[in-house]
């Protein structure tokens, strides 16, 4: 099919930085999609780097991201490394003239994310962030139902991602505040925030009230047994549960609850319960089922009608990478794809952590940021 490579008359040349689960999703997508060639990877683990190099027939294998960016002939790069490295790598790659697809969360803070968006504008290149959950089939089906008017105007939602014992790995970068920027809220809550706001049609978040708790991880409980991550001997420095109330422009509201660890049914569960003026919806995905249970509620009072929707699994990262390539192949619109949606998510997460810290609601203003400094960035002021 694709027209991705047409402007250049040759396939786009892609690199992937990061060899973990996330990086491997990007590698598989570049390998599968037409109009693009995976030519280089970078990551610190010698064994996996060699194995992945062999799997994809690559000779350009680097330990450090700087050597991959310095290759000079790449068109684009995926960044799938610990969160503290997202901004330096994205800015370095953009300044080297590459288009960048970063993993979520965009960065540890909105201020850091802003440096990435600014770099994309200066370089005149595409910056995108992987929100692969909104490309699941069940989430796309619910969005289609909302857009088709089946539930009317959504006015309230309760959205979750909860785990019983799913701290990505005790002692790894995920549990280190400096490296990760936070716990389950910034890690999995950012997906929930993304799909919830997507369902509401991207209203501006006006205010956030949040609480965070760290009760289990700091006592060595709740670590995932299935997650293998490099041990950096970190103490448990982040929350293991967060709960948020968002007030939206136009009067809507969203409650988000997210945990890596909590005494609740075993396993992993995410989803959303959504109430609209003409109907409602409930989506549950248990233990990463490719397709969750989606029900749409319509009708009036006693004469309610429940519709069970069977959705395809969807394409997740494959769809994210494909859309990124479509944007890269459209130079006239590069400035529209600058990471600002992900930056908005980062502002909400900043405000949530600030709210939890000060114990009060934090209002977000489009006019000033936390220091009251720059127009167009987040304001976090206790209310
Ligand atoms: N979208 C999703 O569903 C999803 C799922 C998992 C992780 N993620 C995100 O992907 C990112 C990586 O997560 P992960 O679980 O794959 O982590 P991971 O710890 O398994 O892998 C991180 C990789 O980064 C590499 N790295 C670290 N420093 C480097 C450097 N200086 N140069 C080159 N490579 C370096 C490591 O060697 C490793 O290969 C995180 O931002 C995470 O939030 C997204």
């Amino acid at each position: 099919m694709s027209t991705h490579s047409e402007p250049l008359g040759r396939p786009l040349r892609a690199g992937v930085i990061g060899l973990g689960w996330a990086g491997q999703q990007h590698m598989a997508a570049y390998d599968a999609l037409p109009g693009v060639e995976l030519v280089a990877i970078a990551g610190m683990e010698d064994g996996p780097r060699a194995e992945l190099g062999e799997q994809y027939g690559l000779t350009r294998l680097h330990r450090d991201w700087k050597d991959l960016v310095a290759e000079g002939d790449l068109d684009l790069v995926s960044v799938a490394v610990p969160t503290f490295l997202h901004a330096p790598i994205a800015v370095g790659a953009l300044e080297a003239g590459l288009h960048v697809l970063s993993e979520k969360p965009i960065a540890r803070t909105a201020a850091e994310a802003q440096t990435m968006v600014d770099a994309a504008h200066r370089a005149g290149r595409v910056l995108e962030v992987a929100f692969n959950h909104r490309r699941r089939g069940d989430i796309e089906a619910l969005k289609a139902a909302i857009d088709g008017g089946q539930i009317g105007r959504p006015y309230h939602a309760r959205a979750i991602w909860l785990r019983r014992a799913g701290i990505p790995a005790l002692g790894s970068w995920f549990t280190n505040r400096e490296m990760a920027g936070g716990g389950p809220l910034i890690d999995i809550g950012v997906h929930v925030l993304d799909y919830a706001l997507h369902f509401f049609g991207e209203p501006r978040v006006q205010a956030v009230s949040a609480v965070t708790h760290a009760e289990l991880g700091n006592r060595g409980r709740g670590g995932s047994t299935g997650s293998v991550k490099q041990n950096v001997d970190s103490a448990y420095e982040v929350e293991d549960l967060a709960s948020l109330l968002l007030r939206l422009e136009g009067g809507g509201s969203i409650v988000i609850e997210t945990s890596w660890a909590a005494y609740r049914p075993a396993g992993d569960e995410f989803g959303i319960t959504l109430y609209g003026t003409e109907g409602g919806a409930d989506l549950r995905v248990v233990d990463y089922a490719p397709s969750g249970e989606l029900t749409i509620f319509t009708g009036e009072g006693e004469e309610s009608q429940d519709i069970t929707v069977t959705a395809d699994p969807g394409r997740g990262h494959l769809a994210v990478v494909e859309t990124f390539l479509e944007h890269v192949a459209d130079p006239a619109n590069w400035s529209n794809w600058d990471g600002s949606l992900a930056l908005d998510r980062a502002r909400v997460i900043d405000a949530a952590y600030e709210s939890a810290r000060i114990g009060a609601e934090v209002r977000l203003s489009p006019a000033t940021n936390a220091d009251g400094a720059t127009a167009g960035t987040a304001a976090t002021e206790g209310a």
Side-chain angles (χ1 to χ4, degrees):
M1 64 151 196
S2 176
T3 56
H4 303 329
S5 54
E6 274 172 17
L8 293 172
R10 61 160 173 79
L12 292 163
R13 287 195 273 266
V16 174
I17 303 171
L19 309 174
W21 184 87
Q24 291 182 39
Q25 306 312 302
H26 293 250
M27 292 174 205
Y30 290 126
D31 186 56
L33 290 166
V36 64
E37 220 182 328
L38 177 64
V39 298
I41 57 173
M44 303 181 75
E45 300 80 9
D46 295 339
R49 188 174 60 244
E51 283 159 29
L52 288 162
E54 192 170 340
Q55 180 180 341
Y56 291 111
L58 307 174
T59 51
R60 307 192 203 178
L61 311 176
H62 302 286
R63 184 176 166 78
D64 195 78
W65 67 270
K66 290 195 180 105
D67 298 322
L68 182 141
V69 169
E71 286 219 350
D73 67 344
L74 300 185
D75 300 298
L76 54 97
V77 69
S78 280
V79 179
V81 295
T83 306
F84 73 101
L85 288 170
H86 289 189
I89 297 180
V91 171
L94 288 161
E95 286 176 350
L98 306 186
H99 304 281
V100 172
L101 175 58
S102 172
E103 263 305 333
K104 49 49 62 176
I106 181 170
R108 294 172 297 184
T109 63
E112 236 182 7
Q114 185 74 55
T115 67
M116 297 162 72
V117 173
D118 291 346
H121 282 288
R122 276 199 314 275
R125 293 291 183 269
V126 173
L127 169 66
E128 290 205 335
V129 175
F131 285 118
N132 45 302
H133 272 60
R134 61 157 74 186
R135 308 303 292 271
R136 289 178 56 92
D138 42 24
I139 291 195
E140 286 179 339
L142 177 48
K143 178 74 167 121
I146 296 167
D147 291 349
Q150 272 181 278
I151 74 157
R153 174 177 51 80
Y155 55 86
H156 182 72
R158 185 157 34 88
I160 59 158
W161 192 335
L162 299 165
R163 293 180 185 156
R164 168 71 177 262
I167 297 172
L170 287 166
S172 74
W173 69 265
F174 274 96
T175 70
N176 182 279
R177 179 166 300 285
E178 187 61 24
M179 294 176 129
L185 172 57
I186 199 168
D187 178 34
I188 50 181
V190 73
H191 279 301
V192 177
L193 175 65
D194 179 65
Y195 64 64
L197 289 171
H198 181 54
F199 289 142
F200 273 76
E202 298 295 342
R204 197 173 72 74
V205 176
Q206 290 181 320
V208 183
S209 187
V211 288
T212 59
H213 298 275
E215 296 289 349
L216 302 179
N218 54 354
R219 289 186 289 142
R221 297 189 189 180
S224 162
T225 48
S227 175
V228 182
K229 302 283 170 201
Q230 192 190 359
N231 184 20
V232 297
D233 281 329
S234 178
Y236 193 85
E237 300 176 345
V238 295
E239 82 279 3
D240 44 38
L241 183 141
S243 183
L244 282 54
L245 168 65
L246 311 185
R247 294 179 196 278
L248 310 176
E249 196 163 64
S253 48
I254 300 173
V255 169
I256 292 176
E257 194 177 273
T258 180
S259 75
W260 274 343
Y263 284 102
R264 64 176 316 276
D268 178 292
E269 180 181 352
F270 64 84
I272 188 165
T273 303
L274 210 140
Y275 304 113
T277 50
E278 306 300 325
D282 186 71
L283 171 65
R284 303 278 107 208
V285 183
V286 175
D287 291 340
Y288 295 96
S291 193
E293 289 170 30
L294 173 58
T295 311
I296 310 278
F297 308 101
T298 59
E300 281 183 47
E302 297 291 304
E303 293 175 32
S304 63
Q305 214 191 325
D306 301 349
I307 304 160
T308 304
V309 179
T310 308
D312 292 334
R315 295 160 70 236
H317 272 94
L318 191 63
V320 166
V321 171
E322 187 175 59
T323 300
F324 172 60
L325 295 172
E326 283 164 10
H327 294 159
V328 166
D330 181 18
N333 287 304
W334 281 350
S335 62
N336 294 334
W337 309 110
D338 63 355
S340 45
L341 183 130
L343 169 60
D344 282 346
R345 306 294 186 248
R347 288 179 184 142
V348 175
I349 287 174
D350 270 11
Y353 281 129
E354 177 66 0
S355 166
R357 190 183 69 79
I358 64 174
E361 183 169 89
V362 167
R363 298 196 67 77
L364 285 95
S365 146
T368 51
N369 69 7
D371 325 308
T374 315
T377 55
T380 52
E381 41 184 69

